[in-house]
């Protein structure tokens, strides 16, 4: 958004994934196929209405089949072996967290 890389090391993180894992109220990390993951923005009071509309949308597969219903959401439980945890959790400055939350919304 600002044309510069995130200052991960200055904030005490080794990767972008590590940064977002430490912001559970802003973004949720969900395991996906073959060791990849999906980042899902967490709705707050200003974005709850939008999140509800998106949740009610039909998927592309459901639109192709006549009368098909959207598939139920899969479990988002984390596999502890997929995402190693840091022992020391750095504190993310409020200004950076607010900017990332604004960007995600």
């Amino acid at each position: 958004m600002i044309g510069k890389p995130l200052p991960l090391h200055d904030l005490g993180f080794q990767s972008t994934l590590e940064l977002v894992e430490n912001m559970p109220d802003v973004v949720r990390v969900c395991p996906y196929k073959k060791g990849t993951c999906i980042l899902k923005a967490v709705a707050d009071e200003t974005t709850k209405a939008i999140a509800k509309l998106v949740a009610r949308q039909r998927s592309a597969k459901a639109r192709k089949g006549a009368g098909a219903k959207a598939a139920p959401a899969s479990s988002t439980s984390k596999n502890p072996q997929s995402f190693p945890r840091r022992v020391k959790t750095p504190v993310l400055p409020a200004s950076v967290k607010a900017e990332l939350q604004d960007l995600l919304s």
Side-chain angles (χ1 to χ4, degrees), residues 58-104:
R58 293 185 187 184
S59 67
K61 282 185 177 181
R63 276 185 252 134
K64 287 181 182 178
K69 293 184 179 179
S74 62
S75 172
T76 58
S77 62
K78 290 184 181 180
N79 179 355
Q81 296 163 346
S82 297
F83 301 107
R85 296 283 176 213
R86 283 183 66 143
V87 174
K88 180 183 173 191
T89 304
V91 176
L92 187 64
S95 60
V96 174
K97 186 174 176 180
E99 286 182 27
L100 287 170
Q101 190 167 15
D102 184 46
L103 179 62
L104 288 170

Side-chain angles (χ1 to χ4, degrees), residues 9-93:
H9 296 290
D10 295 342
L11 297 171
F13 298 101
Q14 298 298 316
S15 68
T16 307
L17 182 60
E18 189 179 352
L19 170 70
V20 297
E21 284 178 337
N22 283 280
M23 296 188 302
D25 54 329
V26 176
V27 64
R28 189 174 59 192
V29 180
C30 301
Y32 194 60
K33 299 176 184 175
K34 297 181 183 178
T36 61
C37 61
I38 295 177
L39 302 179
K40 294 184 178 183
V42 175
D44 62 6
E45 291 302 317
T46 60
T47 58
K48 275 189 179 178
I50 295 170
K52 285 181 183 178
L53 290 172
V54 171
R56 290 193 314 214
Q57 284 182 337
R58 293 185 187 184
S59 67
K61 282 185 177 181
R63 276 185 252 134
K64 287 181 182 178
K69 293 184 179 179
S74 62
S75 172
T76 58
S77 62
K78 290 184 181 180
N79 179 355
Q81 296 163 346
S82 297
F83 301 107
R85 296 283 176 213
R86 283 183 66 143
V87 174
K88 180 183 173 191
T89 304
V91 176
L92 187 64

